[in-house]
Amino acid sequence: MYREHAEEWMTKRRYKKNDILALGLRSIPKTYQEVKMIIDTLLQEGVNLERVPGFTQKLRKGGNPMVDRDWYWTINAYGKYFIPIRDDAGRIVRMHMATENPKKKYTWFSSSPNVEAVYDQGKLADLKILDPTITLEGNAAELRRKGASSGHHISVMLPSAYMANWEPGDDVTDIMAFDSVIVSEGEHKSFISANYLQRPVIGVPGVGNYRDVLPALKKWNCKKVIIAYDADAFLVKEQDGQKIRNQDVYRNLINFAKEILEAEGIELVFWVWNINDGKGLDDLLMSGKLPIEANPRTQERKPVAI
């Protein structure tokens, strides 16, 4: 954990030290010496890195791709820090990486290989190209051998005090009641919202990746679902004299809502607010304001009370 990142979490996100420890934030190593120390430890402990997303083998500078010893283990990571993604048993199953790119603030710690080693009688006989845009000769620095995709897991966030006592393997419903669940986007805003509201929040990995949400809600015997996507999901803008929406976001939002509405025994409501009060639910809550609850079945709207 680098000091610059801890200071960012405590100032920009207003996290306390206990929040940082409960969430499990960690900095991305800046040097290969740090990376090698981690890798050597994991290998000594018998961890199969080939099955851990984000770890991969790269070719040494000037190395021969047909020589095994010229490949070395490293991490497919860059940027600032990691945000762990937990499943409903408290296990870290994926990690988001905060970058330093304002156009793409987050990306995944993932490492699908783009070449595959082919062995014959225990010896490296060939390399199969998995990505048609690369060649062994022209893209040596971009070659990745071994590794795994991180997949598209939903993130289960609890208030800090509950998260701190959540041990891997513990069913989340044994830690906190899941009668109602808030569905949001992104890990920071989900964790901040869970802390402010003292309620469980599910973070989806992008507005279109909601397929795992409904099975989880049924598993938890959830009775009420609150969709609290960013305010711009509902925003109508003027363009060339016409009112338009972000059609991709809005379409996914409507399709997700239809899935919930068609499920038996689950009530669906939306939390909405003025975008001038904050883009995300976390921004709204940190400004000291609360959303409006809208019921799509009854058309009723009422202020949210804590």
Side-chain angles (χ1 to χ4, degrees), residues 183-243:
V183 180
S184 184
E185 310 163 71
E187 292 74 44
H188 278 309
K189 68 184 62 177
S190 296
F191 185 59
I192 291 169
S193 300
N195 262 349
Y196 268 80
L197 299 167
Q198 290 297 296
R199 299 170 73 168
V201 180
I202 303 304
V204 293
V207 292
N209 294 312
Y210 55 80
R211 300 299 178 189
D212 293 336
V213 176
L214 185 56
L217 297 174
K218 291 180 177 179
K219 178 183 175 183
W220 302 328
N221 197 29
C222 180
K223 302 301 182 187
K224 182 178 180 178
V225 179
I226 301 155
I227 296 181
Y229 280 3
D230 286 358
D232 57 0
F234 301 91
L235 190 63
V236 178
K237 297 180 180 178
E238 290 280 349
Q239 183 174 309
D240 299 328
Q242 294 182 326
K243 292 183 177 181

Side-chain angles (χ1 to χ4, degrees), residues 74-113:
T74 186
I75 57 175
N76 192 42
Y78 64 92
K80 298 191 291 185
Y81 58 84
F82 293 115
I83 311 171
I85 310 299
R86 289 174 176 81
D87 65 6
D88 62 357
R91 299 169 297 203
I92 295 175
V93 290
R94 197 182 195 201
M95 291 206 291
H96 231 163
M97 299 190 299
T99 73
E100 294 173 319
N101 182 352
K103 294 184 178 180
K104 188 176 183 181
K105 295 182 180 180
Y106 298 95
T107 189
W108 295 105
F109 185 50
S110 188
S111 57
S112 296

Side-chain angles (χ1 to χ4, degrees), residues 48-57 73 76 108-114 144-151:
N48 181 5
L49 294 181
E50 190 170 351
R51 298 183 60 191
V52 183
F55 288 83
T56 189
Q57 285 188 337
W73 279 108
N76 192 42
W108 295 105
F109 185 50
S110 188
S111 57
S112 296
N114 52 26
R144 294 193 309 275
R145 194 178 79 159
K146 302 185 178 181
S149 169
S150 61

Side-chain angles (χ1 to χ4, degrees), residues 234-300:
F234 301 91
L235 190 63
V236 178
K237 297 180 180 178
E238 290 280 349
Q239 183 174 309
D240 299 328
Q242 294 182 326
K243 292 183 177 181
I244 62 168
R245 299 180 189 271
N246 184 327
Q247 290 300 327
D248 185 51
V249 172
Y250 191 69
R251 184 180 64 254
N252 280 304
L253 173 62
I254 294 302
N255 290 338
F256 178 32
K258 285 180 178 178
E259 274 199 9
I260 304 298
L261 287 168
E262 291 169 2
E264 188 175 343
I266 301 179
E267 178 190 4
L268 171 68
V269 297
F270 293 99
W271 278 2
V272 295
W273 56 90
N274 190 321
I275 196 169
N276 294 325
D277 292 329
K279 180 174 179 285
L281 179 59
D282 57 329
D283 301 319
L284 181 75
L285 295 171
M286 286 193 292
S287 72
K289 298 182 179 181
L290 292 171
I292 297 294
E293 182 169 297
N295 189 314
R297 289 190 188 276
T298 65
Q299 304 302 309
E300 180 186 5

